[in-house]
Amino acid sequence: MQKGKGRTSRIRRRKLCRSSEPRGVNESHKSEFIELRKWLKARKFQDSNLAPACFPGTGRGLMSQTSLQEGQMIISLPESCLLTTDTVIRSYLGAYITKWKPPPSPLLALCTFLVSEKHAGDRSLWKPYLEILPKAYTCPVCLEPEVVNLLPKSLKAKAEEQRARVQEFFASSRDFFSSLQPLFVEAVDSIFSYSALLWAWCTVNTRAVYLRPRQRECLSAEPDTCALAPYLDLLNHSPRVQVKAAFNEETHSYEIRTTSRWRKHEEVFICYGPHDNQRLFLEYGFVSVHNPHACVYVSREILVKYLPSRDKQMDKKISILKDHGYIENLTFGWDGPSWRLLTALKLLCLEAEKFTCWKKVLLGEVISDMNEKTSLDIAQKICYYFMEETNAMLQKVSHMKDEKEALINQLTLVESLWTEELKVLRASAKTLHSLQTAFT
């Protein structure tokens, strides 16, 4: 037998490979987690499957204490541990919420409770949970304006919308906060500040789990579907795993079952959904490396950038794409330009005498080799344009990191987003080159 080809050698290599993987550092001994465990135990929750740990790359998460099998329950959190609008209405805030008109939203109820309990400090019954929540967040709404300006245009626009939405949320809530003055010695303006509400909003937006919609007369008609799940919300996201997560009405617990296998001392992940990196950045404040759902969005302006300006039918073509939903969600991905992007380009590249074939294009039919080649050429030009823009933005971020040390963490996050997009564009460019060889 050839050296290094036997079963023993394979086992040795697997062990060596596993031992070289980044290992998490167990944090169960830390005081905040000891207190959290006591708090959870008092609410009828105990767990032997997972332990809090700090991992390279993902930070704080949950580590498997034992091997976990496919289909196994990894966590079952009793309803008594969940922070919901029921929790808020049963609290000292309930009377104020019930009599306020128009009724507060479920989101406002949760945010108000979080701010109030955080202000209570040692007096809060939720202190062990509040102590492990992030002190600050990295959603775009929390970033400095000069950092937001470095985001891709499509994400920047959404980030600005997010900021405006939170500012309006704060402004429209101030009268309700004023009604709570009898509960506090300090002025409510100093307690329910914009920064305090922003922290609470981010806590709910980034960490809440989904519950079946409920409706209460004392709350507005907005969907009441959010619950904060202490300990469970330490689970980090991975786009490569699948779990089954839901509230079990029979056991009155929020349960998560894994569809993957986990070795002892591995980080256990859940999946927040098949989100691209811009969506993850916007909603959760992080970027997933090698995200299979990563993509680069092509705007209408860039879509027509390399098309002939003399095309008299261009306005009609754009109108057709709009009417049939082909003007948005056009992307480059790991496998090249999306079918939607290529379809839009094929329609836009139709010659005058072929224009009546536009319905066939939308159905995926090949009109001519010339149309196929021209659309691929335009796609390649757009891809190269994005690669140049991405490299320029990476240089800009790098220079700002040297000049703005206080913003280093925010800038590093933006840098990782652009870096991942560049990887996608390079993969797309390679695919486009392969496709073009069929026409040479």
Side-chain angles (χ1 to χ4, degrees):
M1 182 180 291
Q2 191 175 346
K3 187 178 180 181
K5 297 292 185 180
R7 179 172 177 273
T8 302
S9 179
R10 289 197 300 272
I11 293 172
R12 188 181 299 117
R13 285 198 300 273
R14 281 200 294 268
K15 286 183 177 179
L16 183 62
C17 180
R18 289 180 182 181
S19 66
S20 64
E21 292 175 358
R23 294 286 293 272
V25 178
N26 196 311
E27 294 192 338
S28 296
H29 63 283
K30 290 194 171 183
S31 59
E32 61 264 37
F33 287 116
I34 292 173
E35 292 304 311
L36 181 64
R37 288 270 192 177
K38 290 179 183 176
W39 183 85
L40 290 167
K41 186 176 181 180
R43 292 168 180 253
K44 311 300 182 186
F45 172 74
Q46 287 184 283
D47 176 51
S48 58
N49 288 334
L50 307 171
C54 188
F55 297 88
T58 56
R60 184 169 279 180
L62 290 177
M63 169 195 288
S64 56
Q65 294 275 66
T66 183
S67 296
L68 300 175
Q69 303 304 313
E70 185 177 338
Q72 185 175 343
M73 181 92 68
I74 58 174
I75 195 165
S76 179
L77 194 67
E79 189 174 16
S80 57
C81 298
L82 299 177
L83 198 168
T84 66
T85 53
D86 287 341
T87 311
V88 180
I89 291 167
R90 288 195 304 265
S91 76
Y92 51 89
L93 293 172
Y96 292 86
I97 289 172
T98 302
K99 67 183 180 184
W100 187 256
K101 302 298 178 188
S105 67
L107 177 61
L108 178 56
L110 290 171
C111 288
T112 302
F113 186 79
L114 283 171
V115 173
S116 179
E117 289 296 299
K118 188 178 182 185
H119 172 73
D122 292 341
R123 293 178 286 111
S124 172
L125 295 176
W126 291 80
K127 182 189 175 186
Y129 175 53
L130 296 173
E131 286 291 300
I132 66 160
L133 290 174
K135 303 296 184 285
Y137 291 90
T138 51
C139 303
V141 69
C142 301
L143 304 183
E144 292 298 320
E146 56 192 314
V147 177
V148 173
N149 284 334
L150 297 172
L151 295 174
K153 289 178 183 177
S154 58
L155 180 57
K156 180 186 172 186
K158 291 176 183 176
E160 290 169 346
E161 290 172 8
Q162 186 184 70
R163 187 182 297 273
R165 193 163 68 249
V166 175
Q167 288 174 341
E168 168 59 26
F169 179 52
F170 173 66
S172 63
S173 304
R174 297 189 74 176
D175 287 344
F176 172 68
F177 295 149
S178 295
S179 75
L180 304 178
Q181 186 61 70
L183 293 171
F184 304 97
V185 175
E186 303 88 338
V188 288
D189 284 350
S190 66
I191 299 170
F192 294 93
S193 62
Y194 176 74
S195 61
L197 188 68
L198 176 61
W199 171 82
W201 183 90
C202 288
T203 297
V204 176
N205 196 60
T206 64
R207 306 181 78 81
V209 297
Y210 178 85
L211 295 182
R212 184 171 54 83
R214 298 160 294 169
Q215 187 63 54
R216 283 180 165 274
E217 288 185 9
C218 60
L219 295 175
S220 70
E222 294 175 34
D224 185 3
T225 57
C226 290
L228 290 171
Y231 193 68
L232 180 151
D233 62 8
L234 289 170
L235 288 163
N236 287 319
H237 165 80
S238 171
R240 296 171 186 81
V241 304
Q242 290 185 330
V243 296
K244 294 179 179 178
F247 185 79
N248 188 324
E249 297 288 350
E250 294 181 3
T251 62
H252 293 282
S253 298
Y254 194 91
E255 299 176 348
I256 296 181
R257 290 183 182 275
T258 178
T259 59
S260 308
R261 293 183 178 183
W262 303 95
R263 296 195 302 269
K264 185 176 181 180
H265 297 151
E266 276 190 318
E267 180 172 10
V268 177
F269 292 97
I270 58 175
C271 182
Y272 300 171
H275 303 318
D276 61 70
N277 277 331
Q278 291 198 18
R279 173 78 181 276
L280 290 174
F281 197 135
L282 181 69
E283 299 295 343
Y284 303 103
F286 68 86
V287 172
S288 179
V289 178
H290 303 307
N291 182 358
H293 310 295
C295 61
V296 176
Y297 288 90
V298 180
S299 67
R300 172 184 166 177
E301 292 72 28
I302 303 302
L303 184 67
V304 300
K305 183 179 176 68
Y306 297 101
L307 292 168
S309 57
R310 60 185 179 276
D311 188 343
K312 294 179 181 179
Q313 296 169 321
M314 185 57 66
D315 289 342
K316 180 62 177 173
K317 291 175 178 177
I318 292 292
S319 179
I320 291 171
L321 290 176
K322 271 187 178 179
D323 292 344
H324 291 80
Y326 278 85
I327 207 70
E328 294 181 345
N329 293 324
L330 309 178
T331 59
F332 289 101
W334 294 106
D335 297 328
S338 67
W339 187 86
R340 290 172 57 82
L341 174 56
L342 281 179
T343 300
L345 287 173
K346 288 174 186 179
L347 194 149
L348 292 170
C349 291
L350 280 174
E351 297 166 292
E353 62 272 20
K354 300 279 189 180
F355 181 61
T356 55
C357 298
W358 65 264
K359 288 185 179 179
K360 292 183 177 180
V361 173
L362 295 183
L363 291 172
E365 294 185 30
V366 174
I367 304 304
S368 67
D369 284 352
M370 177 61 72
N371 180 258
E372 295 286 311
K373 183 180 186 306
T374 304
S375 60
L376 288 173
D377 288 345
I378 298 295
Q380 186 181 56
K381 289 178 181 179
I382 295 173
C383 187
Y384 284 163
Y385 165 81
F386 276 128
M387 288 173 70
E388 288 180 12
E389 180 193 48
T390 304
N391 278 314
M393 291 306 298
L394 282 168
Q395 286 188 341
K396 194 171 182 179
V397 173
S398 180
H399 291 152
M400 191 176 285
K401 284 173 74 176
D402 293 335
E403 298 169 1
K404 305 273 188 177
E405 192 172 338
L407 299 176
I408 192 76
N409 290 335
Q410 294 185 15
L411 291 168
T412 299
L413 186 57
V414 173
E415 185 178 52
S416 67
L417 177 64
W418 282 110
T419 299
E420 290 304 304
E421 296 210 345
L422 184 58
K423 292 177 186 176
V424 170
L425 290 167
R426 285 173 174 166
S428 274
K430 189 174 180 180
T431 299
L432 280 165
H433 178 72
S434 297
L435 292 172
Q436 286 173 308
T437 56
F439 297 96
T440 56

